[in-house]
């Protein structure tokens, strides 16, 4: 079946540095991937999405890269700020959303 | 402002009791979803509805029930058959019935057992 997994459960980054959160998926049935941010006690918040006809997509301070050859996608956050502290999920869409377990991003002052 | 409202924020269930979690959206979205989240885990799909008066079981539907009588509302009942109901419950909606647009989430209901 399909699965989505993040490489690290926790990532610590110095404030002002760039953060890279990685995600792998198991097969290529889906053509739509989404990154969400979840702050403590709140629902997930949409960050950015990418479809399989693209390799890269940029938003405000965030970039998502999709490598279909190795079935891997990454979320890059530029100039990480304290407000970026959260759990980040990648999800793939195939009529339903299939979620990874999340990576907790910790910002060191 | 458009969005999804879940209530209550915290809910306690006694042994053998059914409880209902409310989810209302004013985004005019056709599709709505219920997820369960356990500590340190991702989201697991309980039920989803692509259109009014229709809904489908997700991966963990046992012990739960839903209704979709109005486009705006998708309440979830946690029945006494659900033996481990303690979790964070999240409701979402999407403009795309087949899931190829982002889902928008409410701020969740945390359910605990008394």
């Amino acid at each position: 079946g399909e699965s989505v997994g993040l490489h690290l459960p926790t990532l610590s980054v110095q404030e002002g540095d760039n953060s890279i959160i990685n995600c792998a998926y198991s097969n290529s049935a889906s053509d739509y991937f989404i990154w969400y941010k979840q702050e403590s006690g709140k629902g997930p918040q949409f960050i950015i999405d990418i479809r399989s006809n693209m390799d890269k997509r940029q938003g405000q301070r965030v970039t998502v890269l999709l490598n279909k050859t190795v079935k891997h996608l990454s979320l890059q956050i530029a100039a990480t700020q304290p407000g970026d502290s959260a759990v980040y999920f990648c999800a793939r869409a195939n009529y339903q959303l299939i979620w990874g377990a999340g990576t907790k991003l910790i910002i060191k002052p | 402002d458009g969005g999804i409202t879940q209530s209550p924020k915290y809910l306690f269930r006694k042994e053998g009791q059914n409880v209902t979690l409310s989810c209302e959206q004013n985004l005019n979205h056709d599709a709505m979803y219920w997820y369960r989240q356990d500590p340190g885990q991702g989201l697991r799909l309980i039920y989803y509805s692509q259109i009014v008066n229709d809904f489908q079981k997700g991966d963990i539907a046992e012990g739960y029930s839903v209704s979709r009588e109005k486009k705006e509302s998708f309440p979830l009942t946690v029945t006494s058959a659900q033996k481990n109901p303690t979790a964070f419950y999240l409701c979402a909606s999407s403009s795309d019935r087949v899931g190829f647009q982002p889902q928008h989430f409410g701020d969740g209901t945390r359910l605990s057992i008394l």
Side-chain angles (χ1 to χ4, degrees):
Chain A
E2 295 191 67
S3 68
V4 176
L6 278 88
H7 291 184
L8 291 174
T10 304
L11 177 65
S12 291
V13 176
Q14 202 74 35
E15 183 177 348
D17 287 352
N18 296 338
S19 302
I20 300 176
I21 301 171
N22 296 301
C23 187
Y25 59 96
S26 63
N27 68 46
S28 58
S30 305
D31 65 357
Y32 181 53
F33 299 87
I34 311 172
W35 281 98
Y36 284 93
K37 171 187 181 182
Q38 187 177 26
E39 296 175 336
S40 181
K42 294 192 173 182
Q45 177 186 4
F46 169 79
I47 303 173
I48 192 167
D49 57 4
I50 189 166
R51 301 185 191 275
S52 60
N53 60 351
M54 305 173 72
D55 297 322
K56 179 180 179 178
R57 192 164 187 217
Q58 289 184 288
Q60 188 175 10
R61 280 201 309 121
V62 295
T63 300
V64 56
L65 299 177
L66 177 61
N67 185 329
K68 294 177 286 293
T69 302
V70 296
K71 296 184 173 59
H72 178 274
L73 70 159
S74 66
L75 176 71
Q76 301 178 8
I77 304 173
T80 309
Q81 303 169 359
D84 295 327
S85 291
V87 178
Y88 289 81
F89 292 95
C90 63
R92 60 185 302 189
N94 185 17
Y95 295 90
Q96 302 175 15
L97 280 183
I98 300 168
W99 295 74
T103 290
K104 184 174 184 177
L105 181 61
I106 298 170
I107 313 303
K108 296 181 286 187
Chain B
D1 284 339
I4 299 176
T5 301
Q6 289 189 243
S7 62
K9 191 169 178 65
Y10 299 96
L11 186 59
F12 298 91
R13 195 190 88 170
K14 294 180 182 178
E15 197 76 31
Q17 185 182 42
N18 294 351
V19 291
T20 297
L21 285 61
S22 171
C23 177
E24 303 279 332
Q25 55 101 357
N26 61 4
L27 298 166
N28 199 34
H29 285 170
D30 283 322
M32 296 187 74
Y33 307 82
W34 274 106
Y35 292 93
R36 170 180 172 139
Q37 187 176 32
D38 292 289
Q41 303 294 318
L43 280 66
R44 292 186 290 167
L45 183 65
I46 304 172
Y47 268 98
Y48 65 101
S49 169
Q50 295 172 308
I51 199 167
V52 174
N53 292 322
D54 186 54
F55 49 83
Q56 307 295 329
K57 292 182 179 180
D59 300 321
I60 56 165
E62 186 173 349
Y64 301 96
S65 66
V66 293
S67 63
R68 187 88 187 275
E69 297 176 2
K70 298 188 298 181
K71 188 175 187 177
E72 308 79 32
S73 180
F74 191 40
L76 173 74
T77 297
V78 183
T79 75
S80 58
Q82 173 48 248
K83 297 307 179 189
N84 183 24
T86 298
F88 191 44
Y89 289 88
L90 288 157
C91 179
S93 71
S94 174
S95 59
D96 184 354
R97 296 177 186 177
V98 295
F100 290 97
Q101 291 292 332
Q103 292 181 16
H104 301 266
F105 286 83
D107 275 341
T109 292
R110 194 167 297 278
L111 176 62
S112 303
I113 299 299
L114 281 178

